[in-house]
Amino acid sequence: MNSIDSLPPLRAVIAAHGLSARKALGQNFLLDLNLTAKIARQAGDLTGCDVLEVGPGPGGLTRGLLAEGARRVVAVEKDPRCLPALAEIAAAYPGRLEVLNADALALDWAAHLTPPVKVVANLPYNVGTELLVRWLTPPAWPPVWSSLTLMFQREVAERIVAQPGGKAYGRLALLAQWRCSARIVMSLPPEAFSPPPKVHSAVVHLEALPEPRFPADPKLLERVVATAFNQRRKMLRAALKGLSPEIEDHLRAAGLAPTERAEQVPLEGFCALARSLAG
């Protein structure tokens, strides 16, 4: 395995610090530094950018981001066992790595970053989807970040890029595609990780659009989509009846058949329905 810097191979780092991956923290470590550098490159040009990384573990992707020229990396790591390994990376890249021993779900990470900002992470499986939803639903748009390059279980990645008509299509696809262009840029087999997970993984790249694809109130759109897919097997007139006594009229005004089901409705249709309900 070729090294991307003067630091030891990741297996040696893990052995030196006794860093066995913990299932409770959703940890699966990537050990191939060529692979972590390749993931870093999927985020595009990092020079001049601050990068937020969540769940760096022993720092394989962190090293890739720094070697690819990131101006600064802010790495949020909940597991204190990983801090000594990350401190070694910080020493090798003076002034370019800030490590925060914190829970990413409870942290005001934007306070530690200077735009332009990119988010690049091999997300812990147990918080990945929740973090993505938070990044996609900030108080104002455009967001602090310009792009998200994130690793998920393959099934979650497919839900993010899904199109109408299939089982993978749902709330996550609509939230992501309303305000971003989203595509799967890499696939990784279980054996790329230590320990190998039981599922395949994929890297998704999301580029923030200057404004949403179609006008709609964000909170109302979220409510409409969540309600529709909460009972996705029902026809829209039944699944959405709690939103308005005149739901069939609103559906027709949005160009939707009341007998359609949620997974048949494109993003533009949900936005039109949200506008109709807003009055």
Side-chain angles (χ1 to χ4, degrees), residues 26-272:
Q27 291 174 330
N28 296 92
F29 298 150
L30 272 170
L31 300 185
D32 186 338
L33 290 170
N34 293 318
L35 198 53
T36 59
K38 186 177 178 183
I39 294 167
R41 287 194 289 273
Q42 300 304 319
D45 185 6
L46 299 179
T47 56
C49 292
D50 278 13
V51 177
L52 173 68
E53 183 188 6
V54 175
L61 180 55
T62 315
R63 288 164 65 174
L65 294 167
L66 291 163
E68 290 298 316
R71 178 176 65 196
R72 281 179 70 247
V73 174
V74 174
V76 182
E77 179 52 65
K78 187 176 181 180
D79 186 355
R81 299 177 309 144
C82 298
L83 300 183
L86 294 169
E88 292 173 2
I89 302 172
Y93 291 94
R96 292 178 58 203
L97 173 60
E98 180 180 358
V99 180
L100 303 174
N101 182 204
D103 181 346
L105 293 172
L107 178 73
D108 178 15
W109 53 268
H112 297 267
L113 295 155
T114 303
V117 172
K118 296 187 177 191
V119 181
V120 188
N122 169 19
L123 290 174
Y125 281 166
N126 53 356
V127 296
T129 303
E130 185 172 352
L131 282 169
L132 174 63
V133 170
R134 290 190 186 192
W135 287 325
L136 292 173
T137 55
W141 196 270
V144 173
W145 51 268
S146 62
S147 69
L148 308 170
T149 306
L150 306 170
M151 189 184 303
F152 296 97
Q153 297 178 43
R154 177 84 197 186
E155 179 188 351
V156 175
E158 288 172 349
R159 282 166 51 203
I160 294 167
V161 303
Q163 297 299 306
K167 288 183 179 179
Y169 182 68
R171 175 173 172 253
L172 210 51
L174 290 155
L175 278 181
Q177 295 172 38
W178 183 45
R179 289 168 154 174
C180 298
S181 59
R183 58 196 174 93
I184 293 174
V185 292
M186 275 180 73
S187 295
L188 293 97
E191 53 269 25
F193 299 85
S194 176
K198 295 179 180 177
V199 294
H200 282 67
S201 301
V203 177
V204 182
H205 181 73
L206 300 103
E207 199 85 27
L209 299 172
E211 56 186 43
R213 292 184 193 277
F214 309 103
D217 175 77
K219 292 196 178 302
L220 184 53
L221 178 61
E222 278 189 64
R223 188 177 168 212
V224 169
V225 169
T227 305
F229 282 97
N230 196 35
Q231 303 184 76
R232 63 187 296 151
R233 292 185 181 179
K234 289 189 175 182
M235 294 180 186
L236 291 175
R237 64 186 178 197
L240 298 173
K241 63 183 179 183
L243 294 179
S244 168
E246 293 84 35
I247 191 61
E248 292 202 30
D249 293 339
H250 287 296
L251 285 164
R252 291 191 181 96
L256 302 174
T259 52
E260 281 188 288
R261 289 174 172 78
E263 66 184 33
Q264 299 170 283
V265 179
L267 170 60
E268 187 174 5
F270 278 112
C271 293

